Amino acid sequence: QKEVEQNSGPLSVPEGAIASLNCTYSDRGSQSFFWYRQYSGKSPELIMFIYSNGDKEDGRFTAQLNKASQYVSLLIRDSQPSDSATYLCAVNGWSGGGNKLTFGTGTQLKVEL
Amino acid sequence: EADIYQTPRYLVIGTGKKITLECSQTMGHDKMYWYQQDPGMELHLIHYSYGVNSTEKGDLSSESTVSRIRTEHFPLTLESARPSHTSQYLCASSDDRGTDTQYFGPGTRLTVL
């Protein structure tokens, strides 16, 4: 079992719809959870992080965390074609004597006109 | 403006050459990382450093080496480049406080002929 699992997609949604991206993790001791967006050929850019159970909203983005279920999700409201990218879930946990960020393989999102 | 820089952005080089990929950050971060990513594939951590004179190998075995003589500088060296080293190399940094959020540089796309 991978430490951080994401559906690779592609996830296709129409413009204006809500896109829902999901991520599960295996380490119950994980403390912080991140969502990054990566356009093709570019480096990952941070969208938001969450560390408490519940929802965290930032503009059109909402991160949801459920530590009991070891599940974190990202909702994108009013999806735009410019949101088409790969979304990486990352989980911060303790490994090898220090905090370490483990990335999922990413979910490709396509927002269609 | 606080940022993380990588040079060169693109490098095409012949087999057997020695190369150094530069990474510098003005974020004031203690921790720095090198990732390798092939097109459409997941990120692999190859090296990290928690401070000056501290370097560790990551999850993916790499023939590259790194050094950390100054806090802001974390170069990666390949003594003898091979076609199998062709990839995108991403540098990141994070602070040692709070959520340990990682921020990425723009990346270096390396092609070894």
Side-chain angles (χ1 to χ4, degrees), chain B residues 69-94:
Chain B
I69 298 172
R70 304 197 321 262
T71 300
E72 63 273 17
H73 193 214
F74 190 39
L76 180 144
T77 298
L78 276 166
E79 290 292 333
S80 180
R82 294 207 302 269
S84 61
H85 297 140
T86 294
S87 190
Q88 167 134 301
Y89 292 84
L90 295 161
C91 181
S93 71
S94 68

PDB file of all heavy atoms in Angstrom, chain B residues 69-94:
ATOM      1  N   ILE B  69      26.967  24.039   1.998  1.00  0.00           N
ATOM      2  CA  ILE B  69      27.999  24.814   2.686  1.00  0.00           C
ATOM      3  C   ILE B  69      27.410  26.122   3.215  1.00  0.00           C
ATOM      4  O   ILE B  69      27.853  26.648   4.248  1.00  0.00           O
ATOM      5  CB  ILE B  69      29.181  25.075   1.745  1.00  0.00           C
ATOM      6  CG1 ILE B  69      29.801  23.756   1.324  1.00  0.00           C
ATOM      7  CG2 ILE B  69      30.231  25.955   2.420  1.00  0.00           C
ATOM      8  CD1 ILE B  69      30.862  23.876   0.248  1.00  0.00           C
ATOM      9  N   ARG B  70      26.418  26.639   2.492  1.00  0.00           N
ATOM     10  CA  ARG B  70      25.731  27.857   2.931  1.00  0.00           C
ATOM     11  C   ARG B  70      24.248  27.558   3.044  1.00  0.00           C
ATOM     12  O   ARG B  70      23.703  26.752   2.286  1.00  0.00           O
ATOM     13  CB  ARG B  70      25.955  28.997   1.936  1.00  0.00           C
ATOM     14  CG  ARG B  70      27.412  29.327   1.675  1.00  0.00           C
ATOM     15  CD  ARG B  70      27.580  30.696   1.024  1.00  0.00           C
ATOM     16  NE  ARG B  70      26.586  31.020   0.024  1.00  0.00           N
ATOM     17  CZ  ARG B  70      26.767  30.885  -1.283  1.00  0.00           C
ATOM     18  NH1 ARG B  70      27.899  30.396  -1.742  1.00  0.00           N
ATOM     19  NH2 ARG B  70      25.825  31.248  -2.135  1.00  0.00           N
ATOM     20  N   THR B  71      23.595  28.213   3.947  1.00  0.00           N
ATOM     21  CA  THR B  71      22.164  27.962   4.186  1.00  0.00           C
ATOM     22  C   THR B  71      21.331  28.144   2.930  1.00  0.00           C
ATOM     23  O   THR B  71      20.416  27.372   2.653  1.00  0.00           O
ATOM     24  CB  THR B  71      21.632  28.914   5.273  1.00  0.00           C
ATOM     25  OG1 THR B  71      22.347  28.715   6.482  1.00  0.00           O
ATOM     26  CG2 THR B  71      20.147  28.679   5.537  1.00  0.00           C
ATOM     27  N   GLU B  72      21.674  29.149   2.139  1.00  0.00           N
ATOM     28  CA  GLU B  72      20.818  29.506   1.013  1.00  0.00           C
ATOM     29  C   GLU B  72      21.133  28.746  -0.269  1.00  0.00           C
ATOM     30  O   GLU B  72      20.450  28.925  -1.268  1.00  0.00           O
ATOM     31  CB  GLU B  72      20.916  31.014   0.753  1.00  0.00           C
ATOM     32  CG  GLU B  72      22.285  31.510   0.338  1.00  0.00           C
ATOM     33  CD  GLU B  72      23.175  31.850   1.529  1.00  0.00           C
ATOM     34  OE1 GLU B  72      22.874  31.410   2.669  1.00  0.00           O
ATOM     35  OE2 GLU B  72      24.191  32.543   1.324  1.00  0.00           O
ATOM     36  N   HIS B  73      22.154  27.878  -0.255  1.00  0.00           N
ATOM     37  CA  HIS B  73      22.640  27.291  -1.490  1.00  0.00           C
ATOM     38  C   HIS B  73      22.705  25.765  -1.372  1.00  0.00           C
ATOM     39  O   HIS B  73      23.290  25.244  -0.402  1.00  0.00           O
ATOM     40  CB  HIS B  73      24.031  27.868  -1.785  1.00  0.00           C
ATOM     41  CG  HIS B  73      24.523  27.601  -3.157  1.00  0.00           C
ATOM     42  ND1 HIS B  73      25.869  27.392  -3.427  1.00  0.00           N
ATOM     43  CD2 HIS B  73      23.893  27.514  -4.352  1.00  0.00           C
ATOM     44  CE1 HIS B  73      26.020  27.180  -4.721  1.00  0.00           C
ATOM     45  NE2 HIS B  73      24.835  27.255  -5.289  1.00  0.00           N
ATOM     46  N   PHE B  74      22.162  25.037  -2.362  1.00  0.00           N
ATOM     47  CA  PHE B  74      22.095  23.577  -2.273  1.00  0.00           C
ATOM     48  C   PHE B  74      22.304  22.990  -3.673  1.00  0.00           C
ATOM     49  O   PHE B  74      21.371  22.525  -4.331  1.00  0.00           O
ATOM     50  CB  PHE B  74      20.725  23.170  -1.709  1.00  0.00           C
ATOM     51  CG  PHE B  74      20.575  21.720  -1.325  1.00  0.00           C
ATOM     52  CD1 PHE B  74      21.609  21.019  -0.720  1.00  0.00           C
ATOM     53  CD2 PHE B  74      19.373  21.059  -1.535  1.00  0.00           C
ATOM     54  CE1 PHE B  74      21.456  19.695  -0.334  1.00  0.00           C
ATOM     55  CE2 PHE B  74      19.201  19.736  -1.163  1.00  0.00           C
ATOM     56  CZ  PHE B  74      20.240  19.055  -0.563  1.00  0.00           C
ATOM     57  N   PRO B  75      23.531  22.985  -4.165  1.00  0.00           N
ATOM     58  CA  PRO B  75      23.787  22.500  -5.523  1.00  0.00           C
ATOM     59  C   PRO B  75      23.785  20.975  -5.623  1.00  0.00           C
ATOM     60  O   PRO B  75      24.143  20.279  -4.677  1.00  0.00           O
ATOM     61  CB  PRO B  75      25.178  23.063  -5.835  1.00  0.00           C
ATOM     62  CG  PRO B  75      25.836  23.187  -4.500  1.00  0.00           C
ATOM     63  CD  PRO B  75      24.730  23.543  -3.527  1.00  0.00           C
ATOM     64  N   LEU B  76      23.420  20.493  -6.793  1.00  0.00           N
ATOM     65  CA  LEU B  76      23.400  19.059  -7.085  1.00  0.00           C
ATOM     66  C   LEU B  76      24.374  18.797  -8.222  1.00  0.00           C
ATOM     67  O   LEU B  76      24.368  19.505  -9.227  1.00  0.00           O
ATOM     68  CB  LEU B  76      21.985  18.620  -7.480  1.00  0.00           C
ATOM     69  CG  LEU B  76      21.759  17.150  -7.830  1.00  0.00           C
ATOM     70  CD1 LEU B  76      20.385  16.694  -7.350  1.00  0.00           C
ATOM     71  CD2 LEU B  76      21.895  16.899  -9.330  1.00  0.00           C
ATOM     72  N   THR B  77      25.214  17.782  -8.056  1.00  0.00           N
ATOM     73  CA  THR B  77      26.258  17.486  -9.038  1.00  0.00           C
ATOM     74  C   THR B  77      26.138  16.061  -9.564  1.00  0.00           C
ATOM     75  O   THR B  77      25.905  15.117  -8.789  1.00  0.00           O
ATOM     76  CB  THR B  77      27.652  17.673  -8.408  1.00  0.00           C
ATOM     77  OG1 THR B  77      27.803  19.039  -8.008  1.00  0.00           O
ATOM     78  CG2 THR B  77      28.754  17.333  -9.407  1.00  0.00           C
ATOM     79  N   LEU B  78      26.293  15.946 -10.871  1.00  0.00           N
ATOM     80  CA  LEU B  78      26.435  14.638 -11.525  1.00  0.00           C
ATOM     81  C   LEU B  78      27.841  14.580 -12.082  1.00  0.00           C
ATOM     82  O   LEU B  78      28.210  15.384 -12.931  1.00  0.00           O
ATOM     83  CB  LEU B  78      25.415  14.477 -12.651  1.00  0.00           C
ATOM     84  CG  LEU B  78      24.017  14.006 -12.251  1.00  0.00           C
ATOM     85  CD1 LEU B  78      23.038  14.227 -13.384  1.00  0.00           C
ATOM     86  CD2 LEU B  78      24.051  12.538 -11.849  1.00  0.00           C
ATOM     87  N   GLU B  79      28.653  13.638 -11.596  1.00  0.00           N
ATOM     88  CA  GLU B  79      30.057  13.568 -12.017  1.00  0.00           C
ATOM     89  C   GLU B  79      30.206  13.160 -13.468  1.00  0.00           C
ATOM     90  O   GLU B  79      31.100  13.629 -14.167  1.00  0.00           O
ATOM     91  CB  GLU B  79      30.819  12.590 -11.124  1.00  0.00           C
ATOM     92  CG  GLU B  79      31.019  13.085  -9.703  1.00  0.00           C
ATOM     93  CD  GLU B  79      31.966  14.279  -9.627  1.00  0.00           C
ATOM     94  OE1 GLU B  79      32.846  14.426 -10.519  1.00  0.00           O
ATOM     95  OE2 GLU B  79      31.812  15.084  -8.686  1.00  0.00           O
ATOM     96  N   SER B  80      29.322  12.264 -13.927  1.00  0.00           N
ATOM     97  CA  SER B  80      29.412  11.774 -15.300  1.00  0.00           C
ATOM     98  C   SER B  80      27.990  11.519 -15.798  1.00  0.00           C
ATOM     99  O   SER B  80      27.387  10.494 -15.489  1.00  0.00           O
ATOM    100  CB  SER B  80      30.242  10.488 -15.344  1.00  0.00           C
ATOM    101  OG  SER B  80      30.330   9.998 -16.663  1.00  0.00           O
ATOM    102  N   ALA B  81      27.461  12.476 -16.557  1.00  0.00           N
ATOM    103  CA  ALA B  81      26.069  12.388 -16.974  1.00  0.00           C
ATOM    104  C   ALA B  81      25.855  11.246 -17.970  1.00  0.00           C
ATOM    105  O   ALA B  81      26.711  10.968 -18.820  1.00  0.00           O
ATOM    106  CB  ALA B  81      25.643  13.714 -17.594  1.00  0.00           C
ATOM    107  N   ARG B  82      24.686  10.613 -17.835  1.00  0.00           N
ATOM    108  CA  ARG B  82      24.275   9.538 -18.744  1.00  0.00           C
ATOM    109  C   ARG B  82      22.869   9.810 -19.229  1.00  0.00           C
ATOM    110  O   ARG B  82      22.096  10.524 -18.573  1.00  0.00           O
ATOM    111  CB  ARG B  82      24.324   8.197 -18.028  1.00  0.00           C
ATOM    112  CG  ARG B  82      25.697   7.723 -17.619  1.00  0.00           C
ATOM    113  CD  ARG B  82      25.735   6.197 -17.546  1.00  0.00           C
ATOM    114  NE  ARG B  82      24.756   5.689 -16.608  1.00  0.00           N
ATOM    115  CZ  ARG B  82      25.025   5.481 -15.341  1.00  0.00           C
ATOM    116  NH1 ARG B  82      26.210   5.758 -14.852  1.00  0.00           N
ATOM    117  NH2 ARG B  82      24.094   4.998 -14.540  1.00  0.00           N
ATOM    118  N   PRO B  83      22.478   9.226 -20.375  1.00  0.00           N
ATOM    119  CA  PRO B  83      21.096   9.427 -20.861  1.00  0.00           C
ATOM    120  C   PRO B  83      20.032   9.074 -19.831  1.00  0.00           C
ATOM    121  O   PRO B  83      18.964   9.690 -19.814  1.00  0.00           O
ATOM    122  CB  PRO B  83      21.037   8.506 -22.080  1.00  0.00           C
ATOM    123  CG  PRO B  83      22.439   8.492 -22.603  1.00  0.00           C
ATOM    124  CD  PRO B  83      23.307   8.512 -21.365  1.00  0.00           C
ATOM    125  N   SER B  84      20.306   8.128 -18.937  1.00  0.00           N
ATOM    126  CA  SER B  84      19.325   7.756 -17.913  1.00  0.00           C
ATOM    127  C   SER B  84      19.090   8.878 -16.895  1.00  0.00           C
ATOM    128  O   SER B  84      18.134   8.832 -16.121  1.00  0.00           O
ATOM    129  CB  SER B  84      19.764   6.488 -17.183  1.00  0.00           C
ATOM    130  OG  SER B  84      21.011   6.697 -16.529  1.00  0.00           O
ATOM    131  N   HIS B  85      19.960   9.880 -16.893  1.00  0.00           N
ATOM    132  CA  HIS B  85      19.785  11.025 -15.993  1.00  0.00           C
ATOM    133  C   HIS B  85      18.851  12.086 -16.565  1.00  0.00           C
ATOM    134  O   HIS B  85      18.528  13.060 -15.888  1.00  0.00           O
ATOM    135  CB  HIS B  85      21.144  11.674 -15.678  1.00  0.00           C
ATOM    136  CG  HIS B  85      22.077  10.761 -14.948  1.00  0.00           C
ATOM    137  ND1 HIS B  85      23.434  10.696 -15.231  1.00  0.00           N
ATOM    138  CD2 HIS B  85      21.865   9.867 -13.952  1.00  0.00           C
ATOM    139  CE1 HIS B  85      24.003   9.813 -14.442  1.00  0.00           C
ATOM    140  NE2 HIS B  85      23.080   9.297 -13.654  1.00  0.00           N
ATOM    141  N   THR B  86      18.436  11.900 -17.812  1.00  0.00           N
ATOM    142  CA  THR B  86      17.510  12.838 -18.436  1.00  0.00           C
ATOM    143  C   THR B  86      16.214  12.886 -17.628  1.00  0.00           C
ATOM    144  O   THR B  86      15.554  11.869 -17.427  1.00  0.00           O
ATOM    145  CB  THR B  86      17.213  12.420 -19.887  1.00  0.00           C
ATOM    146  OG1 THR B  86      18.416  12.537 -20.648  1.00  0.00           O
ATOM    147  CG2 THR B  86      16.126  13.304 -20.492  1.00  0.00           C
ATOM    148  N   SER B  87      15.871  14.078 -17.148  1.00  0.00           N
ATOM    149  CA  SER B  87      14.702  14.225 -16.289  1.00  0.00           C
ATOM    150  C   SER B  87      14.531  15.699 -15.937  1.00  0.00           C
ATOM    151  O   SER B  87      15.325  16.551 -16.346  1.00  0.00           O
ATOM    152  CB  SER B  87      14.888  13.416 -15.000  1.00  0.00           C
ATOM    153  OG  SER B  87      13.695  13.352 -14.237  1.00  0.00           O
ATOM    154  N   GLN B  88      13.475  15.992 -15.169  1.00  0.00           N
ATOM    155  CA  GLN B  88      13.334  17.330 -14.572  1.00  0.00           C
ATOM    156  C   GLN B  88      13.771  17.236 -13.113  1.00  0.00           C
ATOM    157  O   GLN B  88      13.366  16.324 -12.392  1.00  0.00           O
ATOM    158  CB  GLN B  88      11.886  17.810 -14.659  1.00  0.00           C
ATOM    159  CG  GLN B  88      11.596  19.036 -13.805  1.00  0.00           C
ATOM    160  CD  GLN B  88      10.807  20.118 -14.526  1.00  0.00           C
ATOM    161  OE1 GLN B  88      11.230  20.641 -15.546  1.00  0.00           O
ATOM    162  NE2 GLN B  88       9.665  20.451 -14.000  1.00  0.00           N
ATOM    163  N   TYR B  89      14.587  18.197 -12.708  1.00  0.00           N
ATOM    164  CA  TYR B  89      15.082  18.237 -11.338  1.00  0.00           C
ATOM    165  C   TYR B  89      14.496  19.475 -10.651  1.00  0.00           C
ATOM    166  O   TYR B  89      14.656  20.599 -11.110  1.00  0.00           O
ATOM    167  CB  TYR B  89      16.608  18.268 -11.320  1.00  0.00           C
ATOM    168  CG  TYR B  89      17.203  16.973 -11.815  1.00  0.00           C
ATOM    169  CD1 TYR B  89      17.374  16.738 -13.174  1.00  0.00           C
ATOM    170  CD2 TYR B  89      17.558  15.960 -10.920  1.00  0.00           C
ATOM    171  CE1 TYR B  89      17.883  15.542 -13.634  1.00  0.00           C
ATOM    172  CE2 TYR B  89      18.075  14.760 -11.376  1.00  0.00           C
ATOM    173  CZ  TYR B  89      18.230  14.553 -12.734  1.00  0.00           C
ATOM    174  OH  TYR B  89      18.732  13.353 -13.190  1.00  0.00           O
ATOM    175  N   LEU B  90      13.827  19.230  -9.544  1.00  0.00           N
ATOM    176  CA  LEU B  90      13.126  20.290  -8.818  1.00  0.00           C
ATOM    177  C   LEU B  90      13.736  20.474  -7.445  1.00  0.00           C
ATOM    178  O   LEU B  90      13.925  19.507  -6.708  1.00  0.00           O
ATOM    179  CB  LEU B  90      11.643  19.931  -8.666  1.00  0.00           C
ATOM    180  CG  LEU B  90      10.852  19.860  -9.962  1.00  0.00           C
ATOM    181  CD1 LEU B  90       9.579  19.068  -9.774  1.00  0.00           C
ATOM    182  CD2 LEU B  90      10.529  21.259 -10.452  1.00  0.00           C
ATOM    183  N   CYS B  91      14.020  21.706  -7.116  1.00  0.00           N
ATOM    184  CA  CYS B  91      14.555  22.056  -5.805  1.00  0.00           C
ATOM    185  C   CYS B  91      13.437  22.673  -4.983  1.00  0.00           C
ATOM    186  O   CYS B  91      12.570  23.381  -5.519  1.00  0.00           O
ATOM    187  CB  CYS B  91      15.711  23.038  -5.968  1.00  0.00           C
ATOM    188  SG  CYS B  91      16.501  23.540  -4.427  1.00  0.00           S
ATOM    189  N   ALA B  92      13.413  22.405  -3.699  1.00  0.00           N
ATOM    190  CA  ALA B  92      12.396  22.964  -2.818  1.00  0.00           C
ATOM    191  C   ALA B  92      13.043  23.338  -1.490  1.00  0.00           C
ATOM    192  O   ALA B  92      14.130  22.867  -1.152  1.00  0.00           O
ATOM    193  CB  ALA B  92      11.263  21.968  -2.593  1.00  0.00           C
ATOM    194  N   SER B  93      12.360  24.198  -0.743  1.00  0.00           N
ATOM    195  CA  SER B  93      12.831  24.544   0.590  1.00  0.00           C
ATOM    196  C   SER B  93      11.644  24.680   1.531  1.00  0.00           C
ATOM    197  O   SER B  93      10.506  24.884   1.091  1.00  0.00           O
ATOM    198  CB  SER B  93      13.650  25.842   0.569  1.00  0.00           C
ATOM    199  OG  SER B  93      12.814  26.961   0.323  1.00  0.00           O
ATOM    200  N   SER B  94      11.913  24.536   2.818  1.00  0.00           N
ATOM    201  CA  SER B  94      10.864  24.706   3.819  1.00  0.00           C
ATOM    202  C   SER B  94      11.504  25.209   5.108  1.00  0.00           C
ATOM    203  O   SER B  94      12.707  25.026   5.332  1.00  0.00           O
ATOM    204  CB  SER B  94      10.119  23.394   4.086  1.00  0.00           C
ATOM    205  OG  SER B  94      10.956  22.454   4.730  1.00  0.00           O
TER     206      SER B  94
END
